[in-house]
Structure formats: structure tokens, C-alpha cells
Amino acid sequence: MDPEPDGDSKPSNESPQAGELKSTPPTNEEPPTAANDKKNAPTKEAHAAKDKKNAPTEDPRAALPVQHATDAPKSLVGKTVYVIDTHSLIHQVYHALPEMTSPDGRPVNAIYGVARDLLGLRKSRKPDYWFCAVDLPGGTFRHQLFDQYKATRKPAAEDLVEQIPEVHRMINELGIPVVGVPSYEADDCMATIARQIEALGGECYLVTSDKDCRQLISDHVRMYNIRKNEIFDRASLEEAWGIRPDQVVDFQALVGDSADNVPGVPLIGPKLARELLEKYETLDGVLDHADEVSGKKRKQNLLEGRELALLSRKLVELDAHMDLSLDWESAVVGPIDTERIRPLFEQFGFRTLVTQLETINEPEGETAAAQSAAQLPLATSKGIEANYRLVETPEKFEKFLVELKKQKRFSFDTETTDISPRRAQLVGYSFAWCDDEAWYLPVRAPAGESQLNPDETLEALRPIFENPNVEKIGQNLKYDRIVLKAAGVEVAGPFFDTIVADYLLAAGSRSHSLDTLAERYFQHETIKIRDLIGTGKKQKRMDEVPIELVCDYAAEDALIPWLLRPILAGQLQQNDLESLFEEVEIPLTGVLAEMEYLGVRVDAPRLAKMSKRFGQRMERLEEECFALAGHPFNLASPKQLQEVLFEELGLPVVKKTKTGPSTDADVLSKLAPLHALPAKIVEYRQAAKLKNTYVDALPKLIYPKTGRVHTSFNQVVTATGRLSSSDPNLQNIPVRTEEGREIRSAFVPGTKGEVLLAADYSQIELRVLAHFSQDAQLVKAFQKDEDIHTMVAGQINNVELDEVTSEMRRQAKAVNFGVIYGQSAFGLSAQLGIPREEAQAFIDAYFAKYPGIVDFLEKVLDNALETGYVKTVLGRRRAVEGIRRSRPKQRSLGERMAINTVIQGSAADLIKLAMLGVGRRLEEEAFPAKLLLQIHDELIFEVPATHLNELARLVTEEMVRAYSLCVPLRVSVKAGPSWAEAESLEVGSDTDFPQNPPV
């Protein structure tokens, strides 16, 4: 779901802000400042320009209303106060979240992110008080000291600037006091507030990742990274920089800070600064002993850079002694005035947040989720409390087994030696079947510790695991089923998998992990695996961890799914997702487990030869690049490539990044018509990527015991419902390139006498579109089995079908697969290499010829606007935001997501139904063939050559009958000695496999 921004990056003080902020000025006199400098004052012309974009006609920061000050509490002992670095948070969420728009088309991703984070902070961290610190307009006293302070900061993006006033408005509506002081920075406010809190005996958490705030850390002041949900304290600082909090300012004065343009001392990096402070304690000590430092240049820089270092110290040191007047009364975290904030959330289109408001002020036990959990005495606001019992002796196991055999439903989990289930060895089992107790059975443990006999334990558990009348509950049961299958046990259902249930309920969520679910439903922080086995080179295997520690971790992993089951089951029923869960997704986990267990054979010797050829090709391409550039250079170095393309060859800069002109693939494609080098670099990069990702990597992933690669099929990742694969990702191997076909040729049958069969849905998404839109011409074309791209090309260009050229068909194909998802004229022109006007005319002609498609797309968006979600053909849901009432031709991100989910998600539903149908037939008929892979709309099987035609007919029949559309489904079947060498098979027409009547 999404890259995090640099947590230490903050907006400069010149970033525009607005809103009815309640700011707290200091009561002492202000220091010298450039705030009133005419060069920094906004001009009337600037305001007039802003007014055209509906911005205020004067900078609202110029006369911020004074915050009502109230007396500080006499004591804060036992209280927690959170101080939020507001503009740092705004920038973080803006860069972390995708584009979002309000119903009236305004950008709102930053507003949404801040609102979500503040509400999440209130719920998860439960502060007693909170403040939002902000930067005010104009320069600061640091600019007076050094006019180049923060001079390298780039202006904020325009669509971010537009959101900042609304963020401030939203914070005010939530009732959070805002603290900002002219000529000072938000960090100075945070420092002063932190000092006051500590003096009153409270616990202060600074919600920021800004390194400057590390100087404020103490026994009662810590930093909180809201993105990672991590506390940064003394120990964290010691681990990161190897220094104490009181050395942070001196450390930064030596090292400098490129983000704020703080100079520091040249050639003094973090490692040397740490060593110097360890030896001399302070910056003054370092400078006084500069002549003792080793290295002529370093010594010289310290001696000559004394003034720079002292200046840098003044720039980075925060002022913790401002005389702030704080509104402590408003800072108390109490009930949110939902009627006050609701209209704003509705205006922005924040449907999920509006829904949260309905229960946000209720006691924990009264929320919808907690109501379901109310019957579970352990699901309290304080987390989960339970007895975790260790079953490590035969006597204890005998008693445990008696109780387990009585259960008609239980939750279980396995502990193993590897995250790859095919390679994993069992370390232990955990079980839960009541609300306040769970058990752990170790079968591998450190030397000298008690453990159960692995073989005897497995045999005793076998009949229970294989009993089809006992329900098994767990988180990601596919993993456990593969592990147990490798140990010789076939776990039988029915099953309830909490990760799959949560995925159906919240398809767009970033995480469906047990940690996330425990926090969401029980406000419980789980035991983390890293706390048991460590990380990096010192990481242990689970069987090397003392069983007493493993017991709590493993038992918790069984108990939480047990507690979650009634909650999630109730929500599935309420949202009409019960049948999708029970009839499609849960049975599919079994099919996927079988596929992952089996794996696919890869011809390692062929890949070795391929690697040599790829390497030779890369060498040729490298030499050609050198010849075009006029000299050798490092093709993997963006900096050197920048110099060659933009300085030496003088090519135009298409876009810029923090490190200079961009050299990404998009830029190189745009530069290709101007010079031969960019295209050649693209070729080189593609060859290098395929070599590194597949040709050289696949042999290393072959499991020696099977001689196969066992990819993992991810069922709960994509928001549309499509499957993805990882370790390795087999869905990204290019289909149409020579290199891609060469890589696919290494995928071969497992044994002699077998072949691979590939069955692929033909134009499935367009057929789904025809079914939903009921466009007469599109439906007719599919019913007559016409070439849809040729037909569209003929109608758009007003020519007969036999007059359609390959170029016309190419353009029609691009429109068919692009425009329905909101591709713009700009995007189509770039894809086809035609003028934008021509692309727009092509799009307009397309929609004029197929009005049913236009009506359908608008209906999808209207329904999404009304309900807040879209549905696939099987009822799969996805929440969407940013749907506008007035929609220009250019689709917003939310609108593209909505349409994409309905069409692509429905196609995903069909291939899943096909997999279930084929799997069921293969099992019922004991057919000697195995399903190996699912790649988008394609299924790949391994089958004896003697049964090839039978399998082709069986697979085609099940895929055609998977679901009844108003247009026939078509399946292309190929077979051969490898994935790449498969040739088409004639199986039969659709009349041989009739669908049921359309639904």
C-alpha cells in the first residue's frame, strides 16, 4: 500500500498556512526577526492571484487570534501529554497517501491523513492532554543568525498548500489547542511545552520524527513516530547515534543538517562526531582539542571551522524557555463534539471518518466492534488478559488431549523454523478454545529444556486436525496447512481465517495482520516476533528461544483469532459477505495451499546458460551506451547519468527530484526521440532487471527436496480481489518480450512424459464491461465472436472491418483497455505517440459510439458517491472516497479506483470461481493433473501427455461455466514442453460448454 516520506523532512516557515488558528504568543518581548521585512511580506498582487483560486485575500497568519490561556494543572504526575508537530505531520501524510479529492473536486489527502492520525492517536495512545505546535509566517531568529538557514527547501506542492488552511480548520473543530509563536519554530514551542510538562511530573510524547527534537529526550520526554507506532527514547538514541540526549546539539553542530542547510564542519560525519564526543564530551571540548584529532584535513577543518560549528549549534539548539501561555483547559482530551466536526468531514467526503464519529465518544465496550466482543470478557480497553499454559511433558499433554478432543471448534497456530512453509520445520503448536486460556505445545526447544516428542505429538493430533466435523480457526491458515501437509497431515475444515475475513471487510486497508486486528478490536499490543528472535545477523530460530518466552507469544497467536471470530463473523453477515467468505475465499485457501505445496519445476541448467547470454547482452548494450556517450560511465549511477544526459548531451530536463534531474524510465522514454542513448539505457535496465530478478534469482529459490520453486500466492493484498504472488513474483514476467518468453521457457513439467497446459480467459475484462454496461454494440460483437478491437477501430474510424489497419487496431485496443479506467487524452497520446488533440478526438468518438459504457461508468460513480463503496459481481466490496458530483473528463484517483475495482475485481471473482471448479473436478475424478500457477487470467497445469486433451476439455468447460454473463466466455488453451513453448489446442466452441442463462 505505500512509501513513507522522510520523517525528518519538515516544511520551511515560508509554507503558506491559513485557518482560524488559536495561537499562543509569548508574553516576553519578541527577538529580532525578519517577519516584517518587506521582502517577505505578501504583496497585493500575490493576494489577488491567490483569490482566483478561492484563497483568502490576506494571509490569515498575519493576525492570529490570541489563544485563551488557562492555568496549568498543579501536577501532571501520572498524566500523558502529546505535542504534535503539525506541519511535519501534514507533509508526512500528504506524501504517504494517494491522491484524494472531495465531492467538489478539491484535493484532501493531507486533510484526511491528519484527521485519521489525530483520531487514531486519541484512540490508541489515550493522551490526557494534547497540543498542536505550528510554524508561523515569516522568518525566525535563526534566519537573522544565518540568512541561508533552510534556503535549500523547495516550495510546498500547490495541491498541498491548498489543503493547509483546511487542516487548521479541522484541528480547531476537533478542539485541539494550537501553539505557534512569531519568529520561533514549532520545535521551540515543543521544547518549551516539554520542559513545562516535565517540571510538573508528567510524561511528554513529542509526535514527530524530526531529529532536532532528540535533544529534548529525557526520562519523562520521548518522541513518538506515528507512522511506525514506535517510541524513540534514550536507548533508541544510544542505538542510533551512540550519544546522550545532552550531546545531540553538539553532535548536530559537528555533522550539520542538509535538510535545514545547517553547515556543520566539513568532513565530520556521524561516526567521527560520535567518537569525538565520546572522547571530549562537548563541542567546546572537541574544538579546544582540535589539534589532537587525527587526519590533516579533519584537523584543519575543525580548527578553521570553529565559527561554523558554533553558529550551527545556535541554529540547532531549541529554545525551551519561552514564556508560553497555554490553554490547558482546552487541551484536556475529552469527548469530541461530533456535531461540530461532522459537517466538515461530510464536506470533504470522509465517509469512513463520519461513520467512526457515531461511536467515537462511547465507552470502549459500547462500540460496534466492542458490542460483539462484550460477551468476551478479555476484550477490554486495557487489552487481553489470559492464562497461557505450557504443555511440555507427556503427563500434561495427556490431560490437554482429553480436553481438545471434546471441542467442536478451536483456534490453532504453528511455530516453525522458517517463514517459507515448504521449508519450515515444526517447533510447536498453540491452541485456544475459551476466552481466557491458551496452550502451547513445544516439540523443538533449546538444549536442556523440556519438550514433547515431535512424532508422537503429531500422530496424537492427526485425527483432530483431519476431522472434517471440527471447525479450525486461525490467522493465515494457508501457511499452517502447508506446514502440516509437509509433515504428512491433511487439515480438514470447516475453516474460519481471520486474515481473510478482515480482508473482505476492509479490502483497502494497509494491513490485516494480527497485530493490527488486536489493536483495532481489543486495544491490545501483541508480543512482537523481533522481541523473541531478534533481527539481522543475531537473529535466532524459534527453536533456539526459551520455551517459556515462546509460550506467551504462540498462545497469544491462537487466542486472538479465537476472540476475533464472533466479531468478524457478525460483520461479514451484516455486510452480506458471508457467502463470498464461505463459498469462495475460504475454499480458495485450500486450492492455493495445494498449489504452493506442489510448486513448479524450474530448469536450473537452462537458466545458467540464460544468465550467461543475458550477461553478454548487457555487456554489448553497455558498450553501445559508452559509444553514444563518447566515454565510459557507470550506468547504475543516477548522478553520472545526469551528467551525461543533461550536461554533456544537453538534453532537456523533464522533471526534477531531490537529487537532481530525474532519469527514471518515464523520463528516458520521453528523451528517446531526441537521442539514441536514453532508449539504449532503457534496454540495459530491462535486461539487468530480468537477469537479477529472475534468471539469477530463480535457481536460488529451488527447494532441494522437491527441485521446484514454491511461490506464495497472496489472497489478501490487492484491494480489487486479484491474487498476487511473491518469493518469487511470477506475475511480473513480461509476456510479449523475447526476454520474457525466454525466462518462461525455464518453467517445465515435473516429470518425464508430462506437459504444461495454459488456459487463459480471452478479453475477460471487456466481457465483464459488456455484461455490466449492456451496451448493445459491445454485447452484439461478443455474441457474434468478432474481434472486438477491430470492430471498435472500424466504428471509430468509420471504415469497413477489412479496411482496418494494424495501427487503427492498436489505437482501438489502447482505448478499450485504458479509457474505461479513466485514462486521459494526455495518457493516451503518450502511449500511442499521437497529438493530444487526436487522442481526445479518439476518446470522444469511442464514447459516442458506445453510450451504454458511458452510462454504466457514471452509474458506478453515482452509486459509490451514495454508498461510499463499490461492489464486484460476487458482492466483494471496496470503500472509495474522492468521488465528485460534477465530474470532468479527467477522472480523479478515487473514481479510477472505483471503476477499476468493479471491472477488474469481477474478473478476479471469475478466475477464482474457475479455480474452485477445476480443483473440485480434478479431485472428484481423481484426474492425473495438477494446477500449478495462476497468473492474472491464466491457469497453468501439469499433466501427462496422454491425458492432455481430456484436461483441456475439462478446464475449458469449468472456466466457461464459472459464471453466467450476458456474453459468452472464451478460453484460449495452449500446451507444450515449457510455459513459453505452449502451442494452441483446438478444444471446442462455446456451444460445447454452454453457460447457464445470464444473470
Side-chain angles (χ1 to χ4, degrees), residues 793 797 804-814 832-834 838 842:
N797 291 282
V804 172
T805 65
S806 59
E807 181 61 21
M808 289 178 182
R809 187 181 185 278
R810 184 175 77 93
Q811 291 179 340
K813 187 174 182 179
L832 298 177
I834 59 177
E838 185 179 335
F842 205 90

Coordinates of all heavy atoms in Angstrom, one line a residue, residues 793 797 804-814 832-834 838 842:
A793 N -12.2 -0.3 -33.9 CA -11.4 0.5 -34.8 C -12.2 0.9 -36.0 O -12.1 2.1 -36.5 CB -10.1 -0.2 -35.2
N797 N -13.3 4.8 -36.7 CA -12.7 5.4 -37.9 C -13.7 5.4 -39.1 O -13.3 5.9 -40.2 CB -11.4 4.7 -38.3 CG -10.3 4.9 -37.3 OD1 -9.7 6.0 -37.3 ND2 -10.1 3.9 -36.4
V804 N -9.6 -1.9 -41.8 CA -9.0 -1.5 -40.5 C -7.5 -1.9 -40.6 O -7.1 -3.1 -40.9 CB -9.6 -2.2 -39.3 CG1 -8.8 -2.0 -38.1 CG2 -11.0 -1.7 -39.1
T805 N -6.6 -0.9 -40.4 CA -5.2 -1.2 -40.4 C -4.7 -1.6 -39.0 O -5.4 -1.5 -38.0 CB -4.4 0.1 -40.8 OG1 -4.6 1.1 -39.8 CG2 -4.9 0.6 -42.1
S806 N -3.5 -2.2 -39.0 CA -2.9 -2.6 -37.7 C -2.8 -1.4 -36.8 O -2.9 -1.6 -35.6 CB -1.6 -3.3 -38.0 OG -0.7 -2.4 -38.6
E807 N -2.5 -0.2 -37.3 CA -2.3 0.9 -36.5 C -3.7 1.3 -35.9 O -3.8 1.7 -34.7 CB -1.8 2.1 -37.3 CG -1.6 3.4 -36.5 CD -0.6 3.2 -35.4 OE1 0.2 2.3 -35.4 OE2 -0.6 4.1 -34.4
M808 N -4.7 1.2 -36.7 CA -6.1 1.5 -36.2 C -6.5 0.6 -35.1 O -7.0 1.0 -34.0 CB -7.1 1.4 -37.3 CG -7.1 2.5 -38.4 SD -8.3 2.2 -39.6 CE -8.0 3.5 -40.8
R809 N -6.2 -0.7 -35.3 CA -6.5 -1.7 -34.3 C -5.7 -1.5 -33.0 O -6.2 -1.6 -31.9 CB -6.2 -3.1 -34.8 CG -6.7 -4.2 -33.9 CD -6.4 -5.6 -34.4 NE -7.0 -6.6 -33.5 CZ -6.4 -7.1 -32.4 NH1 -5.3 -6.6 -32.0 NH2 -7.0 -8.0 -31.7
R810 N -4.4 -1.1 -33.1 CA -3.6 -0.8 -31.9 C -4.2 0.4 -31.1 O -4.2 0.3 -29.9 CB -2.2 -0.4 -32.4 CG -1.2 -0.2 -31.2 CD 0.2 0.0 -31.8 NE 0.4 1.3 -32.3 CZ 0.8 2.4 -31.6 NH1 1.2 2.2 -30.3 NH2 1.0 3.6 -32.2
Q811 N -4.7 1.4 -31.8 CA -5.2 2.5 -31.1 C -6.5 2.1 -30.4 O -6.8 2.5 -29.3 CB -5.5 3.7 -32.1 CG -4.2 4.3 -32.6 CD -4.6 5.4 -33.6 OE1 -5.6 5.5 -34.2 NE2 -3.6 6.3 -33.8
A812 N -7.4 1.3 -31.1 CA -8.6 0.9 -30.5 C -8.4 0.0 -29.3 O -9.1 0.1 -28.3 CB -9.4 0.1 -31.5
K813 N -7.4 -0.8 -29.3 CA -7.0 -1.7 -28.2 C -6.6 -0.9 -27.0 O -7.0 -1.2 -25.9 CB -5.9 -2.7 -28.6 CG -5.6 -3.7 -27.6 CD -4.6 -4.7 -28.1 CE -4.3 -5.8 -27.1 NZ -3.4 -6.8 -27.6
A814 N -5.8 0.2 -27.3 CA -5.4 1.1 -26.2 C -6.5 1.7 -25.5 O -6.6 1.9 -24.3 CB -4.4 2.1 -26.7
L832 N 0.4 6.2 -27.3 CA 0.3 5.9 -28.7 C 1.2 6.8 -29.6 O 1.4 6.5 -30.8 CB -1.1 6.1 -29.3 CG -2.2 5.2 -28.6 CD1 -3.6 5.6 -29.2 CD2 -1.9 3.7 -28.9
G833 N 1.8 7.8 -28.9 CA 2.7 8.7 -29.7 C 2.0 9.6 -30.7 O 2.5 9.8 -31.8
I834 N 0.8 10.0 -30.3 CA 0.0 10.9 -31.2 C -0.3 12.2 -30.5 O -0.2 12.3 -29.2 CB -1.4 10.2 -31.6 CG1 -2.2 9.9 -30.3 CG2 -1.1 8.9 -32.4 CD1 -3.6 9.3 -30.6
E838 N -5.7 14.7 -31.1 CA -6.1 13.5 -31.8 C -6.5 12.4 -30.8 O -7.5 11.7 -31.0 CB -4.9 12.9 -32.6 CG -5.3 11.8 -33.5 CD -4.1 11.3 -34.4 OE1 -3.2 12.1 -34.7 OE2 -4.1 10.1 -34.8
F842 N -10.3 10.7 -30.4 CA -10.5 9.3 -30.4 C -11.3 8.8 -29.2 O -12.3 8.0 -29.4 CB -9.1 8.6 -30.4 CG -9.1 7.2 -31.0 CD1 -8.9 7.0 -32.3 CD2 -9.4 6.1 -30.2 CE1 -8.9 5.8 -32.9 CE2 -9.4 4.8 -30.8 CZ -9.2 4.7 -32.1

